[in-house]
Amino acid sequence: MATPQRLSSSLKGLVSTVLEMAQLRLELFSIEAQEEVLRVGALLVYGAVAVAFLSLGVVLLALFITVALWDTHRLLPLGIFTALFLGSGAIAAWLARERVRSGTRLFSASVEELKQDRESLRAAKEEDV
């Protein structure tokens, strides 16, 4: 028969192990969150710079071609560039929508670790029975 002292010691060990596992999982969660914030921040900065420069370049190209053809076909390049800009914007909006719908695997490492913890606890429980 187990003595109360032995049972208490065993219970304290179990609680200590569970708390240690929870602390490790929270630390992993925190690291993943920090990495994701840095990644998204860099993505936004690079994306904004790229959009600004590419937009300026495309507008200047459209103006250059329109001015070059001003005497002969001034409406043709304006119509073509308008269609290209609207089409590109629509495609970009559709791609962004699909990207948002597909979601992200944020905190996937934490989820996998928790699954492994659950399986190891289940296996230990089955061994005790």
Side-chain angles (χ1 to χ4, degrees), residues 14-41:
L14 176 64
V15 169
S16 173
T17 302
V18 168
L19 288 176
E20 184 178 342
M21 286 174 53
Q23 179 186 3
L24 289 173
R25 297 309 171 246
L26 287 174
E27 288 174 2
L28 178 61
F29 179 81
S30 173
I31 290 170
E32 285 183 346
Q34 289 173 352
E35 288 176 353
E36 187 67 15
V37 165
L38 290 174
R39 187 188 73 80
V40 169

Side-chain angles (χ1 to χ4, degrees), residues 38-92:
L38 290 174
R39 187 188 73 80
V40 169
L43 178 67
L44 288 175
V45 168
Y46 289 133
V49 169
V51 166
F53 283 124
L54 287 172
S55 297
L56 184 61
V58 169
V59 168
L60 288 174
L61 176 66
L63 285 173
F64 175 76
I65 292 173
T66 301
V67 169
L69 297 175
W70 190 259
D71 291 333
T72 57
H73 301 26
R74 74 180 75 145
L75 293 180
L76 178 64
L78 289 174
I80 290 172
F81 282 114
T82 300
L84 283 174
F85 293 156
L86 290 175
S88 298
I91 290 170

